Amino acid sequence: MKILIMNPILYTSETDNIPRVTSIKDTMIYALCMGFVKNGDEPVLVAAEPYKPVVKEEYPFQILWFPCLYTTILKPRCFPLLKGLDRYLKKHKYEFDYIISSEIFSMLTLAGALYAREKMIIWHELGAHNKMLKKLPSRFWYNIVARIYMRNIPIVPRSDQAAEFIGQFCKKVLPVRIEHGVDLDKIVYSREKERYYVVLSQLIARKHVDGIISSFAAFEKEKSEEGWQLKIIGDGVLREKLEQQVKDLGLEEKVCFSGRLNHEELMPVLAKAHALLVNTSKDNNMVSIVESIATGTPVVTTTVPFNASYIRSEKLGIVKDRWNEKELEAICESNEEYVSNCIKYRQKLSNQYLAGLFNQIGGKLGK
């Protein structure tokens, strides 16, 4: 099949100044496109030009880079409008078996609904109103634009939370859930775990890494003779403050700040950890959680990430708000069971498996 995938925002930017990267091959949408390629399909990705890498790359599928319009108001990091997309859809829509557009609250999805609705599947992630301008644009969009222009277009939620939210405004919400997957060829799992926990996170306020350090300190105090460590992978504005917290707790030998690691460096560390620790207060689906489960490493998390629903139902870790050292003790005691569950579940996270689910839905359009 030939599939057009409209996903303009390739990675998260915390500010309007989108950081330019040297490669997009570690992004979630790239992994999905590779899933289609491995299944013998022909994906074409529509992306916003501000996310184009500064180094020229070769890809096994086509990427169409469109410039953004009216960027002062329609900010490329959250609500881009792509120049020429409407003309492209009108001219080329019949070349594709179906079209996937990311998010209801999107100018690209509106363009697809106007010019190619018979080909459309909407892949929806948000589980609440976008907070831009006190939620007013989002409320208008879902209550007016979505109800008028996107009715009867199939919607594939990425989580139960997304399905519950969008079901208030659109009726054709499919029962299947498809989140971002991973390339299992690049992720080797391990049943053998070493005595450390891992944090994979930006070091910013909403990630609450300080709380993780405090919980680990209490856990380590009870097990000081067992040699437990906490490995913090990532960087951010709070790094110096967190390093000072570690010094104040006397844990310099127990807590390691590794900075950013590339994917090849990260995966072996993640695979050997007893658990990935997540303490976020604001996130949707987290790729770090997906990759952790794929390596056979369970997760201790708050209820905030949308991944939490299946972590709980499939027993892939512990889900609890304000978790502490007691949860670290519990994940340690039952680690073999959690690891086994993760390894059994990992196949469902394959980008090839998820691309196949999309094909099952897209193949029925127009029939």
Side-chain angles (χ1 to χ4, degrees):
M1 289 187 174
K2 187 174 183 179
I3 306 102
L4 184 68
I5 303 173
M6 301 195 296
N7 192 105
I9 301 170
L10 302 189
Y11 49 87
T12 301
S13 175
E14 297 293 328
T15 67
D16 293 336
N17 185 23
I18 298 170
R20 303 307 292 264
V21 298
T22 57
S23 175
I24 60 163
K25 292 185 177 181
D26 60 350
T27 61
M28 293 185 289
I29 197 63
Y30 185 89
L32 178 65
C33 290
M34 287 303 302
F36 282 107
V37 170
K38 291 180 179 180
N39 284 344
D41 299 309
E42 184 182 350
V44 176
L45 176 63
V46 169
E49 202 168 54
Y51 294 89
K52 188 174 183 178
V54 294
V55 175
K56 185 176 181 180
E57 291 188 298
E58 298 294 330
Y59 309 114
F61 57 89
Q62 185 180 13
I63 301 181
L64 304 174
W65 300 100
F66 286 84
C68 294
L69 293 171
Y70 313 120
T71 57
T72 302
I73 300 173
L74 304 178
K75 297 184 181 299
R77 76 180 179 95
C78 56
F79 198 64
L81 173 63
L82 303 189
K83 182 181 180 181
L85 178 62
D86 53 350
R87 293 191 299 273
Y88 180 85
L89 288 173
K90 285 188 282 188
K91 183 177 180 180
H92 297 283
K93 63 179 179 179
Y94 293 114
E95 298 173 13
F96 298 96
D97 292 283
Y98 64 97
I99 298 169
I100 300 171
S101 186
S102 186
E103 298 303 324
I104 291 282
F105 188 52
S106 164
M107 293 298 291
L108 280 74
T109 301
L110 178 58
L114 290 172
Y115 303 114
R117 66 179 300 113
E118 70 274 18
K119 296 281 187 176
M120 285 280 290
I121 296 171
I122 303 173
W123 190 27
H124 184 75
E125 179 174 18
L126 295 181
H129 283 291
N130 187 292
K131 293 183 179 181
M132 182 172 57
L133 298 177
K134 298 182 179 180
K135 302 183 181 180
L136 291 176
S138 180
R139 291 185 184 280
F140 169 79
W141 193 273
Y142 285 103
N143 282 289
I144 306 299
V145 177
R147 290 184 192 275
I148 294 173
Y149 295 104
M150 298 168 194
R151 64 183 185 276
N152 297 325
I153 295 177
I155 299 171
V156 176
R158 305 191 198 191
S159 65
D160 291 340
Q161 293 92 326
E164 182 178 355
F165 174 69
I166 197 56
Q168 302 172 69
F169 312 100
C170 301
K171 300 305 179 185
K172 201 169 183 178
V173 180
L174 303 185
V176 66
R177 307 287 183 261
I178 302 179
E179 67 164 314
H180 282 285
V182 293
D183 186 349
L184 293 185
D185 291 341
K186 296 180 180 179
I187 299 179
V188 177
Y189 69 84
S190 176
R191 294 185 184 273
E192 303 300 321
K193 304 298 181 182
E194 299 178 7
R195 291 192 175 183
Y196 65 85
Y197 296 106
V198 67
V199 173
L200 175 55
S201 172
Q202 298 177 73
L203 305 184
I204 56 178
R206 66 181 171 85
K207 299 293 188 176
H208 300 287
V209 177
D210 56 340
I212 295 177
I213 293 172
S214 296
S215 295
F216 175 76
F219 170 81
E220 196 277 333
K221 185 177 181 180
E222 296 297 319
K223 296 181 176 290
S224 58
E225 297 180 358
E226 295 184 13
W228 286 89
Q229 290 188 320
L230 176 65
K231 297 188 178 185
I232 300 176
I233 300 170
D235 215 336
V237 295
L238 294 183
R239 178 164 178 170
E240 289 186 11
K241 184 176 180 180
L242 294 171
E243 288 177 334
Q244 186 60 51
Q245 179 188 4
V246 169
K247 290 180 181 178
D248 293 343
L249 290 168
L251 293 174
E252 298 99 316
E253 300 299 320
K254 301 293 184 178
V255 180
C256 171
F257 289 85
S258 301
R260 293 188 180 93
L261 300 180
N262 63 40
H263 202 262
E264 290 183 0
E265 295 169 327
L266 169 63
M267 286 301 106
V269 178
L270 192 55
K272 292 290 185 178
H274 255 68
L276 172 73
L277 308 183
V278 177
N279 198 32
T280 183
S281 61
K282 182 186 175 183
D283 271 292
N284 293 332
N285 288 307
M286 295 178 62
V287 68
S288 58
I289 287 177
V290 178
E291 291 183 332
S292 181
I293 294 169
T295 65
T297 295
V299 183
V300 177
T301 180
T302 63
T303 61
V304 171
F306 292 170
N307 319 71
S309 60
Y310 66 83
I311 291 173
R312 179 185 283 127
S313 65
E314 302 295 330
K315 298 182 179 179
L316 307 175
I318 295 174
V319 177
K320 183 181 179 182
D321 289 327
R322 295 180 295 279
W323 59 263
N324 57 31
E325 68 275 10
K326 293 180 181 179
E327 281 65 49
L328 298 185
E329 176 69 29
I331 203 78
C332 176
E333 290 181 353
S334 302
N335 201 250
E336 288 186 13
E337 178 184 355
Y338 287 120
V339 169
S340 179
N341 292 341
C342 289
I343 293 171
K344 290 176 184 176
Y345 191 79
R346 74 190 297 266
Q347 204 61 41
K348 293 183 179 179
L349 301 173
S350 162
N351 51 33
Q352 289 179 259
Y353 175 81
L354 300 176
L357 292 180
F358 271 119
N359 278 345
Q360 290 176 28
I361 299 166
K364 297 176 182 178
L365 291 181
K367 293 183 180 180

